């Protein structure tokens, strides 16, 4: 009798744990089947896009957070003047090499390789006979750094693709039209100048416009409010004359209503 009493409490919790595990697995199987039927994968769940309710006005956010924060925002806002001057000067030198002097990328790479190989040859064959110089350092990319860079690129690309998917879905019409207008302006600018000049102009604007906005925030907010009000007026006119006549958009509005 004593053996039976000791075995019963050990058997009951194991059966309870097994039943609980079965219930949990059934719940997860139902969730997986519902998510697969909706066409949503686990990768897409890991990159959520914020809803319109979570969006705050651009006036409430500081410029540092709008620029992404971190060291890049510090450089764009000239909080470390030496780094900002060095990066902007280096970008200017590269732009001058390729645009003003008409230097080509392939020629630059070949000339740099000639200098590196020639220096290494002189270092290893002539200077070591005269002086006991240290060996030329071995340059190699570690596996951990390569994996970290690959993971960061994967996250950024997946986030960008998710944002583009949400824009193309047409849930936010203003955002969709703004992206189309921005791409159209960039295409016009690309036909007028080269890609390197366009990238350099954007780089210079990132180093000047945020700083000027922080110094003259009150005046800039007034002009931005006027521009935003004018954009809303033009969008309302476009919606009344053009978008209201599109049948697909009308059906979407009725569904949301």
């Amino acid at each position: 009798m004593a053996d039976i009493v000791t075995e019963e409490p050990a058997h009951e919790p194991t059966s309870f744990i097994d039943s609980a595990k079965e219930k949990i697995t059934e719940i997860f199987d139902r969730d997986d089947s519902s998510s697969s039927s909706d066409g949503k994968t686990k990768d897409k769940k890991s990159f959520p896009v914020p809803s319109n309710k979570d969006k705050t006005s651009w006036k409430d956010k500081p410029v540092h957070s709008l620029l992404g924060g971190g060291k890049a925002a510090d450089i764009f806002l000239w909080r470390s003047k030496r780094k900002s001057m060095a990066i902007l000067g280096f970008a200017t030198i590269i732009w001058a090499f390729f645009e003003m002097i008409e230097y080509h990328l392939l020629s630059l790479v070949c000339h740099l390789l000639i200098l590196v190989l020639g220096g290494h040859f002189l270092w290893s064959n002539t200077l070591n006979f005269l002086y006991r110089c240290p060996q030329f350092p071995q340059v190699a990319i570690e596996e951990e750094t390569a994996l970290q860079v690959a993971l960061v690129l994967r996250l950024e690309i997946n986030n960008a693709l998710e944002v583009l998917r949400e824009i193309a879905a047409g849930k936010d019409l203003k955002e969709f039209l703004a992206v189309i207008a921005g791409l159209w302006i960039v295409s016009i600018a690309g036909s007028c100048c080269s890609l390197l000049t366009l990238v350099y102009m954007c780089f210079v604007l990132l180093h000047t416009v945020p700083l000027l906005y922080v110094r003259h925030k009150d005046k800039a907010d007034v002009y931005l409010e006027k521009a935003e009000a004018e954009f809303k007026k033009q969008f309302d006119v476009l919606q009344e004359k053009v978008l209201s006549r599109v049948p697909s958009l009308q059906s979407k509005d009725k569904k949301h209503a």
Side-chain angles (χ1 to χ4, degrees):
M1 294 295 291
D3 296 334
I4 296 171
V5 172
T6 54
E7 287 177 356
E8 285 180 356
H11 180 70
E12 288 178 357
T14 54
S15 61
F16 176 74
I17 291 170
D18 293 334
S19 62
K21 285 182 179 180
E22 290 177 357
K23 291 180 180 179
I24 292 170
T25 51
E26 287 177 359
I27 292 169
F28 279 108
D29 290 335
R30 290 174 185 174
D31 293 335
D32 292 335
S33 62
S34 63
S35 64
S36 62
S37 63
D38 294 335
K40 294 181 180 179
T41 58
K42 293 182 180 179
D43 293 334
K44 291 182 180 179
K45 289 182 180 178
S46 62
F47 300 101
V49 177
S51 60
N52 293 327
K53 295 180 180 179
D54 298 333
K55 290 182 180 179
T56 57
S57 177
W58 53 269
K59 301 175 187 176
D60 301 330
K61 294 181 180 180
V63 181
H64 191 271
S65 64
L66 290 174
L67 292 173
K71 296 180 180 180
D74 294 337
I75 291 170
F76 292 143
L77 292 174
W78 293 78
R79 293 186 178 180
S80 55
K81 295 183 178 179
R82 291 182 179 178
K83 290 182 180 180
S84 300
M85 285 288 292
I87 292 172
L88 187 59
F90 182 71
T92 305
I93 291 170
I94 292 175
W95 176 77
F97 259 105
F98 288 105
E99 291 295 328
M100 298 179 68
I101 307 176
E102 295 183 356
Y103 207 64
H104 298 286
L105 179 62
L106 183 61
S107 301
L108 178 63
V109 172
C110 292
H111 291 165
L112 288 176
L113 287 175
I114 289 170
L115 290 175
V116 171
L117 292 175
H120 186 269
F121 180 81
L122 292 174
W123 183 280
S124 58
N125 291 309
T126 58
L127 294 178
N128 283 329
F129 290 105
L130 301 175
Y131 305 101
R132 291 183 179 179
C133 299
Q135 293 183 356
F136 198 81
Q138 185 177 1
V139 181
I141 299 174
E142 296 181 357
E143 186 178 359
E144 294 181 356
T145 56
L147 291 174
Q148 289 177 359
V149 171
L151 288 174
V152 170
L153 288 175
R154 177 180 175 272
L155 288 173
E156 294 297 330
I157 291 170
N158 286 333
N159 286 326
L161 291 175
E162 186 67 22
V163 170
L164 290 175
R165 189 184 69 83
E166 291 293 327
I167 291 171
K171 295 180 180 179
D172 192 352
L173 188 59
K174 291 182 180 179
E175 189 176 11
F176 175 75
L177 293 175
V179 171
I180 295 298
L183 292 173
W184 182 62
I185 292 170
V186 170
S187 66
I188 294 173
S191 62
C192 298
C193 58
S194 63
L195 178 61
L196 182 62
T197 302
L198 186 61
V199 171
Y200 176 71
M201 289 171 63
C202 294
F203 195 74
V204 172
L205 288 175
L206 283 173
H207 277 80
T208 54
V209 173
L211 183 63
L212 292 174
Y213 176 76
V214 170
R215 291 183 178 180
H216 306 283
K217 190 176 185 302
D218 297 332
K219 296 180 180 179
D221 287 340
V222 174
Y223 290 109
L224 288 173
E225 287 176 358
K226 292 180 179 179
E228 187 177 4
E230 186 65 25
F231 176 75
K232 288 181 179 179
K233 289 181 181 178
Q234 297 296 329
F235 180 76
D236 293 336
V237 172
L238 180 65
Q239 190 172 10
E240 290 178 1
K241 293 183 177 180
V242 179
L243 299 178
S244 60
R245 299 179 181 178
V246 179
S248 61
L249 295 175
Q250 289 178 359
S251 61
K252 284 183 181 180
D253 293 336
K254 289 179 181 179
K255 288 180 181 178
H256 289 297

